[in-house]
């Protein structure tokens, strides 16, 4: 009995003095994150960097969108210079590459004694200038005869003598006018032909600028359907001067495009239609026959007034072979010599005219849009001889 009372007393004392707050704390649910709002998006990582603080940034400025009318604005139309006086303005470019010939001839002809060795040098100088063997011999023979008749030779007399001879060989009496005037209700048609790499498409575009500068209305026909870049290039040339460009599907029928271009020219009552043909190789008979087909199809709608053969003046006598083959397929009426301001030798002007009986009507004297000029024989000869 006594023992039981003692146990109860000890247990009561233990419960009375038991330490409080001992044991595992209650588990609490994590706080719910605040719902994001569209007006004030929180910056990522800002809570960790700044102890949980949140900063609201203003939305970035929005660039104004241009109206549809401005995005579709047509390119500004350029007003080219007229053709009159172009070659005079570009004479310095021609002189830089051609005066070597003139100076060499003047120096040789001014020597005190003109023996056979000197005449051989004169002949070699002329042949090197791409004048051609037969033409060179004829020139040397004429010069020898005139020198004998002249007797004494002052520098002015030699210069005058050489100028007369060169001018005679360039044939100033040839008709170099471009037939680009409309006749009746039909426009004039200019067919531009030539091999790859001669600058044919560029010449077509520059010719359009020449005609627009002279006050004519022009339509361009992109009949080089085998090269998409040529069509796009011609379109760009036309857009610059406000000339419509007729084009067809890539690889389409060139004759069909040419026909449609002439029809467009008749409908719009333009003065001139310029047809840029494919730069086909003159050694492929089938392709040359196709060029003849283009001309025949055009003639069902209108007359082909000009056939311009574009030649690279730097190719020299190789250009003669090109000219002869093209002349057999289409009736070439004029030559456009490109790159005459570079390393070209001006004698090609004389030789190509002499061999074909076709005048050089246009010359390219640079890479600028207005560097195509009507050929002027006197300006050309004076540029060769220098000031």
């Amino acid at each position: 009995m006594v023992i039981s009372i003692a146990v109860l007393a000890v247990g009561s004392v233990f419960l009375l003095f038991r330490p409080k707050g001992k044991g595992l704390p209650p588990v609490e649910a994590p706080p719910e994150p605040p719902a994001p709002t569209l007006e004030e998006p929180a910056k990522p990582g800002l809570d960790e960097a700044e102890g949980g603080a949140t900063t609201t940034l203003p939305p970035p400025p929005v660039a104004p969108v241009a109206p549809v009318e401005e995005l579709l604005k047509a390119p500004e139309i350029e007003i080219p210079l007229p053709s009159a006086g172009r070659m005079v303005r570009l004479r310095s470019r021609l002189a830089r590459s051609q005066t070597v010939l003139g100076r060499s001839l003047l120096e040789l002809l001014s020597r005190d004694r003109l023996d056979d060795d000197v005449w051989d040098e004169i002949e070699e100088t002329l042949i090197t200038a791409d004048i051609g063997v037969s033409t060179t011999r004829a020139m040397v023979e004429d010069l020898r005869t005139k020198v004998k008749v002249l007797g004494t030779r002052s520098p002015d007399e030699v210069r005058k003598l050489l100028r007369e001879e060169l001018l005679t060989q360039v044939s100033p009496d040839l008709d170099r006018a471009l037939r680009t005037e409309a006749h009746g209700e039909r426009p004039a048609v200019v067919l531009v032909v030539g091999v790859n790499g001669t600058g044919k498409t560029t010449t077509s575009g520059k010719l359009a600028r020449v005609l627009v500068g002279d006050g004519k209305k022009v339509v361009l026909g992109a009949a080089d359907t085998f090269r998409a870049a040529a069509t796009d290039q011609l379109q760009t040339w036309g857009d610059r001067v406000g000339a419509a460009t007729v084009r067809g599907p890539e690889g389409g029928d060139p004759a069909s495009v040419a026909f449609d271009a002439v029809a467009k020219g008749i409908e719009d009552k333009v003065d001139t239609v310029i047809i840029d043909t494919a730069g086909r190789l003159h050694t492929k008979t089938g392709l040359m026959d196709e060029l003849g087909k283009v001309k025949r199809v055009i003639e069902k709608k209108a007359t082909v007034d000009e056939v311009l053969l574009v030649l690279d003046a730097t190719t020299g006598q190789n250009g003669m072979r090109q000219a002869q083959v093209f002349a057999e397929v289409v009736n070439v009426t004029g030559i456009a010599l490109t790159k005459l301001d570079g390393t070209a030798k001006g004698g090609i002007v004389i030789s190509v005219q002499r061999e074909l009986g076709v005048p050089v009507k246009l010359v390219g004297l640079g890479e600028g849009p207005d560097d195509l000029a009507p050929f002027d024989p006197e300006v050309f000869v004076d540029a060769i001889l220098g000031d």
Side-chain angles (χ1 to χ4, degrees):
M1 184 69 176
V2 174
I3 294 172
S4 300
I5 294 171
V7 170
L8 291 172
V10 172
S12 299
V13 173
F14 175 78
L15 291 173
L16 182 63
F17 294 96
R18 179 173 63 86
K20 297 180 180 181
K22 297 290 185 178
L24 295 174
V27 178
E28 297 180 2
E32 294 183 2
T37 62
L38 295 177
E39 293 78 14
E40 299 179 353
K43 185 178 180 181
L46 195 59
D47 291 345
E48 294 180 4
E50 300 184 5
T54 302
T55 303
T56 301
L57 298 178
V62 179
V65 179
V68 177
E69 291 80 3
E70 294 184 11
L71 295 176
L72 300 179
K73 185 178 179 181
E76 185 177 351
I77 302 301
E78 299 176 13
I79 302 176
L81 295 172
S83 61
R86 275 196 181 194
M87 193 163 177
V88 175
R89 293 192 296 270
L90 300 170
R91 175 181 164 179
S92 60
R93 299 182 185 181
L94 181 63
R96 280 198 296 268
S97 60
Q98 306 300 333
T99 51
V100 174
L101 169 62
R103 289 172 183 170
S104 298
L105 292 174
L106 286 172
E107 189 274 329
L108 290 170
L109 288 170
S110 297
R111 291 186 183 180
D112 294 335
R113 183 183 178 192
L114 293 178
D115 55 16
D116 290 341
D117 290 338
V118 175
W119 286 112
D120 287 343
E121 286 187 57
I122 293 173
E123 185 173 317
E124 182 180 349
T125 301
L126 292 171
I127 292 175
T128 305
D130 282 333
I131 289 180
V133 176
S134 60
T135 305
T136 292
R137 289 176 179 170
M139 285 184 66
V140 169
E141 194 63 33
D142 287 345
L143 286 171
R144 292 187 77 154
T145 301
K146 291 177 181 178
V147 165
K148 287 181 181 179
V149 172
L150 186 62
T152 58
R153 304 177 309 281
S154 67
D156 289 341
E157 289 173 332
V158 170
R159 181 186 179 83
K160 181 180 178 182
L161 174 70
L162 188 55
R163 185 181 187 278
E164 290 176 353
E165 183 62 30
L166 288 172
L167 199 55
T168 298
Q169 297 300 329
V170 173
S171 304
D173 296 332
L174 289 177
D175 181 10
R176 301 178 193 277
L178 282 171
R179 293 188 286 274
T180 56
E181 298 289 343
H183 30 84
E185 296 181 353
R186 298 182 184 275
V189 178
V190 179
L191 190 64
V192 183
V193 302
V195 300
N196 290 316
T198 57
K200 180 175 45 55
T201 300
T202 299
T203 299
S204 298
K206 289 183 178 182
L207 177 58
R209 291 183 65 89
V210 170
L211 298 179
V212 170
D214 288 341
K216 290 183 171 58
K217 190 175 179 182
V218 179
V219 164
L220 291 166
D224 187 355
T225 59
F226 302 110
R227 189 167 63 95
T231 301
D232 294 338
Q233 183 183 1
L234 196 66
Q235 176 84 55
T236 300
W237 281 105
D239 290 344
R240 287 178 180 175
V241 295
T245 302
V246 176
R247 52 193 296 172
E250 185 175 354
D253 182 14
S256 176
V257 175
F259 184 87
D260 291 342
V262 174
K264 173 72 172 173
I266 295 173
E267 178 183 351
D268 292 352
K269 298 180 180 179
V270 304
D271 299 290
T272 312
V273 177
I274 302 173
I275 307 294
D276 176 33
T277 60
R280 51 194 87 255
L281 296 174
H282 65 282
T283 54
K284 296 184 178 181
T285 305
L287 294 177
M288 294 299 293
D289 289 344
E290 186 177 326
L291 181 60
K293 172 190 172 184
V294 170
K295 186 173 183 290
R296 292 192 301 272
V297 169
I298 291 174
E299 289 174 338
K300 294 179 179 179
K301 199 76 175 174
T303 303
V304 176
D305 299 271
E306 287 279 357
V307 178
L308 285 178
L309 174 60
V310 180
L311 294 177
D312 183 341
T314 63
T315 60
Q317 291 300 307
N318 184 50
M320 290 299 305
R321 175 58 184 159
Q322 297 174 14
Q324 291 166 353
V325 173
F326 275 95
E328 294 171 0
V329 179
V330 289
N331 181 30
V332 175
T333 59
I335 305 293
L337 274 179
T338 62
K339 306 177 187 177
L340 197 58
D341 63 315
T343 58
K345 297 162 185 176
I348 188 67
V349 173
I350 297 173
S351 57
V352 72
Q353 291 186 156
R354 195 177 185 93
E355 293 294 328
L356 295 181
V358 175
V360 171
K361 294 189 174 183
L362 296 168
V363 287
L365 298 170
E367 298 181 358
D370 292 314
D371 290 341
L372 185 72
F375 182 72
D376 187 322
E378 292 195 8
V379 174
F380 175 73
V381 170
D382 289 339
I384 288 178
L385 295 176
D387 295 327

